[in-house]
Amino acid sequence: MRRVAIPGVVALVAVLLAHPPRLTAAEPAGGVPASCDAQRGERVFGKCAICHSKDAAVASPAGPNLHGVVGRPSATQPQFTYSRALRDFQQTWTAEVLGRFLADPAGVVPGNTMAFSGLKSERDRAAVICLLEAAK
């Protein structure tokens, strides 16, 4: 059997040997990604918890349950009646969309009925989004 070197494969192997990828644990025990500030997320989520729950087994007091919200299309939580504005929004709640919405709910979705002015701190928004990403 003859071995033939394929230039592209040889180059790729050389690059990988010279610069091996750094592997890190994406999620330590507890389900919160390593880069998250879990304590900050829990503390800041206290503002959200007035109306929302992130626990699948706990009913939310006023707003939709946020368990599994990251990656879910907007206005699709069963047993919750959404405002026309949120029904018309038709976005998927990605981390980016949630970040914009949490910064200025009324500005991003004018006419929504959420009585919350937003999280002005980028660190607070990131911590809450990490917490919600872990609540899947």
Side-chain angles (χ1 to χ4, degrees):
M1 179 186 287
R2 238 175 55 170
R3 292 197 298 194
V4 177
I6 302 171
V9 173
V10 172
L12 176 62
V13 170
V15 169
L16 288 174
L17 288 173
H19 306 284
R22 292 185 184 155
L23 302 177
T24 58
E27 291 189 14
V32 179
S35 62
C36 286
D37 185 341
Q39 287 182 330
R40 184 184 198 100
E42 288 288 350
R43 181 179 49 78
V44 176
F45 189 80
K47 297 175 184 180
C48 310
I50 294 168
C51 297
H52 300 279
S53 173
K54 60 180 174 48
D55 184 338
V58 177
S60 291
N65 188 298
L66 299 180
H67 179 81
V69 71
V70 179
R72 184 170 69 205
S74 61
T76 59
Q77 177 66 38
Q79 287 87 37
F80 187 79
T81 304
Y82 290 90
S83 65
R84 161 126 359 246
L86 270 170
R87 288 193 312 267
D88 292 345
F89 185 52
Q90 297 186 359
Q91 296 281 317
T92 297
W93 292 120
T94 63
E96 179 185 342
V97 172
L98 278 167
R100 285 187 285 122
F101 181 74
L102 290 174
D104 183 14
V108 173
V109 184
N112 83 74
T113 57
M114 188 166 85
F116 184 66
S117 62
L119 298 172
K120 302 309 174 200
S121 163
E122 187 174 334
R123 286 184 62 203
D124 285 352
R125 291 191 305 273
V128 167
I129 292 167
C130 270
L131 197 65
L132 292 174
E133 285 179 325
K136 291 183 178 180

